[in-house]
Amino acid sequence: MAKRVEAKASLPSPRKSPRPPKRAPKRAAERIRESARDLFYRQGIRAVGVDEIVSHAGVTKPSLYRSFPSKDELAADYLRHMGEDGLARFDATLAANPSDPRGQLRVWLVQLQAKSAKRDYRGCGTTNAAVEYPDRKHPARKVASDIKGRFRARLTALAARMGARKPDRLGDALLLLFEGVYASGQLFGAGGPARVVIEAADALIDHHLKR
Amino acid sequence: MAKRVEAKASLPSPRKSPRPPKRAPKRAAERIRESARDLFYRQGIRAVGVDEIVSHAGVTKPSLYRSFPSKDELAADYLRHMGEDGLARFDATLAANPSDPRGQLRVWLVQLQAKSAKRDYRGCGTTNAAVEYPDRKHPARKVASDIKGRFRARLTALAARMGARKPDRLGDALLLLFEGVYASGQLFGAGGPARVVIEAADALIDHHLKR
DNA sequence: GATCTATGTTACCGATCGGTACGTCACCTG
DNA sequence: CAGGTGACGTACCGATCGGTAACATAGATC
């Protein structure tokens, strides 16, 4: 389950003003989170040991295990944070101009395409985690499935706002395309198939709007 | 590099007729290959230890290391075999009716869609391996990149045979779709986005043929 | 200052990792 | 039968895996 662990700044009564907890409350757990995020995304979860994480974070192992019950739960926490951030960024991009969903999707796609062309692009950390942990009972896999399901729902809603006759089918078609960008981006690099994603998305949207 | 290791049947001089090597030459190496193929695909390469492989194959570790120089090379061999088989199946499907490339692609897609809907579908082992081994110097990753590059070339050639004005762009768009099926198939299972892949492929092909 | 709590550190655990030294056994050749 | 040739198995290697016990230390509260 891995309920969030930090946030102990708020439990002492808010009397003294200057600095309630200041030193400790942020250090270990948050540094571990940041290190895990970097290392897990770039190298994969299974490839990174807890020793490497704590060493990268400048802390020691017991500090990790006081904030996270296990490596699996740390991985789940990593996926939860990354997934929520990703969904929030997607929402924010779409919300920037609510009257033009198609144009805003294009904005998001331009960013995705740019990222996918960078060397050492590693695709979607959520998808990668599902590849690394096929067992559906695994904590990391459960978070990955949850995030992906919510992203799929957003694409269906977006397709509806664009006026698709079958929004769920357009949403799914777009999701196929995006997952293709994640995979082929890390496989082929800059000149890879991801270069055509915007044209392809346009074609699929047109297909679902006309007629 | 991992040059194939078996094939020692041919080196004794062909004098005696009945059975030159008979007992040993197939057993250990091939059993290991089959076990590795099953276990690597279903659980992932990193998740499977050499002990599990040899135990599943009913042999012992030294037998593995006599036929394969390392686990990494065994993984590369697994990817090489699976990739070649996959490319050959693709070619065979297309060759079954050379005058109708679009129809034959649809045949291949129907099969892909059916596989992707089965429970415990694990996507494309080649893509999965690239996710597990981001290091481009890794033997498994090199094989994965090679296979994917050849598949991409086939899709471009197929798009050309279908009469696309920009075959490389249609081929890449289709590849995005297929990689999306691999990923979303194992993420969402039977009712997932892969259900729309045929309609989406049709829309993309139409887009590249008309005008 | 005494105490409590939360965080940090040293040193260690058993299990498992990929990999190997070495002996055994079956079989073919002389 | 003597000896060579491979394939196979027993038993083991050091390294690393995820995880923990025991102790030190610093800050807040009384």
Side-chain angles (χ1 to χ4, degrees):
Chain A
M1 221 150 288
K3 57 222 183 284
R4 297 303 149 61
V5 183
E6 84 289 11
K8 46 227 149 195
S10 54
L11 50 94
S13 60
R15 293 184 300 171
K16 294 277 178 83
S17 56
R19 44 166 182 68
K22 183 179 170 184
R23 164 163 156 277
K26 161 73 171 302
R27 275 237 277 266
E30 213 53 36
R31 290 176 64 92
I32 290 168
R33 235 188 285 265
E34 291 166 9
S35 294
R37 184 164 179 146
D38 286 356
L39 297 171
F40 281 162
Y41 178 73
R42 275 152 48 185
Q43 301 177 225
I45 297 172
R46 293 197 115 110
V48 176
V50 291
D51 292 283
E52 189 177 356
I53 294 173
V54 298
S55 153
H56 183 276
V59 300
T60 54
K61 264 200 282 190
S63 295
L64 190 159
Y65 282 98
R66 266 188 289 265
S67 296
F68 305 92
S70 68
K71 184 198 174 183
D72 287 347
E73 291 297 338
L74 174 61
D77 180 274
Y78 147 71
L79 291 173
R80 195 149 27 226
H81 275 79
M82 184 173 52
E84 299 291 349
D85 289 356
L87 292 175
R89 272 195 306 274
F90 182 81
D91 292 345
T93 303
L94 271 286
N97 189 349
S99 65
D100 181 20
R102 185 169 182 168
Q104 290 310 114
L105 176 64
R106 187 189 226 97
V107 169
W108 185 82
L109 272 181
V110 168
Q111 295 168 359
L112 171 63
Q113 194 178 37
K115 279 192 295 186
S116 79
K118 295 202 300 191
R119 102 170 49 260
D120 295 336
Y121 176 67
R122 273 279 289 156
C124 171
T126 309
T127 302
N128 293 352
V131 169
E132 287 197 273
Y133 295 96
D135 177 5
R136 265 172 268 269
K137 315 276 249 326
H138 192 283
R141 172 58 178 254
K142 287 194 209 170
V143 176
S145 296
D146 172 66
I147 297 291
K148 283 294 177 187
R150 288 160 61 195
F151 186 52
R152 188 189 190 193
R154 276 164 167 77
L155 290 179
T156 298
L158 172 64
R161 263 177 278 141
M162 290 192 293
R165 295 196 349 156
K166 295 177 179 169
D168 57 327
R169 292 185 72 84
L170 175 54
D172 279 352
L174 293 174
L175 184 49
L176 291 186
L177 232 42
F178 304 161
E179 292 291 342
V181 172
Y182 301 147
S184 71
Q186 61 184 311
L187 265 165
F188 291 93
R195 69 199 168 119
V196 306
V197 66
I198 293 180
E199 175 188 8
D202 267 328
L204 291 174
I205 294 169
D206 284 341
H207 169 75
H208 275 85
L209 293 192
K210 77 175 175 210
R211 167 186 21 165
Chain B
M1 222 148 286
K3 56 219 184 285
R4 295 301 148 62
V5 182
E6 80 286 15
K8 48 227 146 195
S10 53
L11 50 92
S13 61
R15 293 183 299 172
K16 295 276 179 85
S17 56
R19 44 166 182 69
K22 180 182 169 184
R23 164 164 153 276
K26 159 73 171 300
R27 274 239 277 268
E30 213 51 38
R31 291 176 61 91
I32 290 168
R33 236 189 284 265
E34 291 165 9
S35 294
R37 184 161 179 148
D38 287 355
L39 297 171
F40 281 162
Y41 178 74
R42 275 153 46 186
Q43 301 177 221
I45 298 172
R46 295 196 112 110
V48 175
V50 291
D51 292 282
E52 189 176 355
I53 295 173
V54 298
S55 153
H56 184 276
V59 301
T60 55
K61 262 198 286 190
S63 293
L64 189 157
Y65 283 97
R66 265 184 293 267
S67 296
F68 305 92
S70 67
K71 184 197 173 185
D72 287 346
E73 291 297 340
L74 173 60
D77 180 273
Y78 147 71
L79 292 172
R80 196 150 24 226
H81 275 79
M82 183 174 52
E84 298 291 348
D85 290 356
L87 291 175
R89 273 195 305 274
F90 182 82
D91 292 344
T93 302
L94 271 285
N97 188 349
S99 65
D100 181 19
R102 185 168 181 168
Q104 290 310 114
L105 175 65
R106 188 188 224 96
V107 170
W108 186 81
L109 272 181
V110 168
Q111 296 168 356
L112 172 64
Q113 195 177 36
K115 279 191 296 186
S116 79
K118 296 202 299 191
R119 98 170 51 261
D120 295 336
Y121 176 67
R122 273 279 289 158
C124 170
T126 309
T127 302
N128 293 351
V131 168
E132 288 198 272
Y133 294 97
D135 178 7
R136 265 171 269 270
K137 316 275 251 323
H138 192 283
R141 172 60 179 256
K142 286 195 210 168
V143 176
S145 295
D146 172 66
I147 298 290
K148 285 294 176 185
R150 288 158 63 194
F151 187 51
R152 188 189 190 192
R154 276 164 167 78
L155 290 179
T156 298
L158 172 63
R161 264 177 278 138
M162 291 193 292
R165 298 197 343 158
K166 295 176 180 170
D168 58 327
R169 292 186 71 85
L170 174 56
D172 280 352
L174 292 174
L175 184 50
L176 290 186
L177 233 42
F178 304 163
E179 292 290 343
V181 172
Y182 302 147
S184 72
Q186 61 183 312
L187 265 164
F188 291 93
R195 69 199 169 118
V196 306
V197 66
I198 294 179
E199 175 189 9
D202 267 329
L204 291 174
I205 295 169
D206 284 340
H207 168 77
H208 275 85
L209 293 192
K210 77 173 174 213
R211 167 187 21 167

